[in-house]
Amino acid sequence: MSVRVRRVYDPPEPQDGQRVLVDRLWPRGLAKDAARVDRWPKALTPSTELRRWYHAGEGSYEEFAGRYEAELAGAEAAEALEELRELARAGDVTLLTASKTPAESHAAVLARLLGG
């Protein structure tokens, strides 16, 4: 199994496995058929408040990651995270985000929690 993070705007690759969009909003300008998204678990996305706080530059990535992990402890998010873990145990998973810096995004936090 492998878990990796890619931009949703990058063309799909054969080694992507299951393609999981982990953004709350659909990426601008991207047709759904071109994205080839297999799953879109919105319960795993950061809250609107946390997303806005982070994008406003009010805190560090480390602080964002800690706050996001706390949100993932909620019942609905924890259930969705466990489903994603099961998917990752079964094969390759690519977490997709529109973030311009995927390595400092919530997708990277998820990948770390999944062991990717």
Side-chain angles (χ1 to χ4, degrees):
M1 116 178 157
S2 77
V3 176
R4 64 186 194 152
V5 176
R6 297 187 64 219
R7 291 199 72 219
V8 70
Y9 297 107
D10 295 337
E13 296 179 351
Q15 63 270 29
D16 283 347
Q18 288 286 306
R19 293 171 53 87
V20 181
L21 179 63
V22 293
D23 289 350
R24 182 169 301 272
L25 305 173
W26 187 262
R28 289 183 184 201
L30 185 64
K32 290 190 178 186
D33 59 333
R36 282 201 31 233
V37 169
D38 297 307
R39 296 174 188 247
W40 188 11
K42 293 181 186 176
L44 286 177
T45 63
S47 67
T48 300
E49 296 79 19
L50 180 58
R51 185 173 43 85
R52 286 180 180 161
W53 172 84
Y54 183 53
H55 291 299
E58 296 180 21
S60 67
Y61 173 71
E62 291 75 20
E63 187 176 358
F64 166 77
R67 290 182 181 196
Y68 179 47
E69 286 185 44
E71 287 187 354
L72 290 172
E76 186 179 3
E79 183 178 327
L81 184 58
E82 185 54 35
E83 289 174 10
L84 191 55
R85 279 191 180 106
E86 290 174 19
L87 188 66
R89 284 185 204 112
D92 297 334
V93 172
T94 299
L95 304 177
L96 302 169
T97 181
S99 173
K100 291 180 182 177
T101 55
E104 292 186 348
S105 72
H106 63 288
V109 174
L110 284 173
R112 181 175 45 79
L113 292 175
L114 296 170

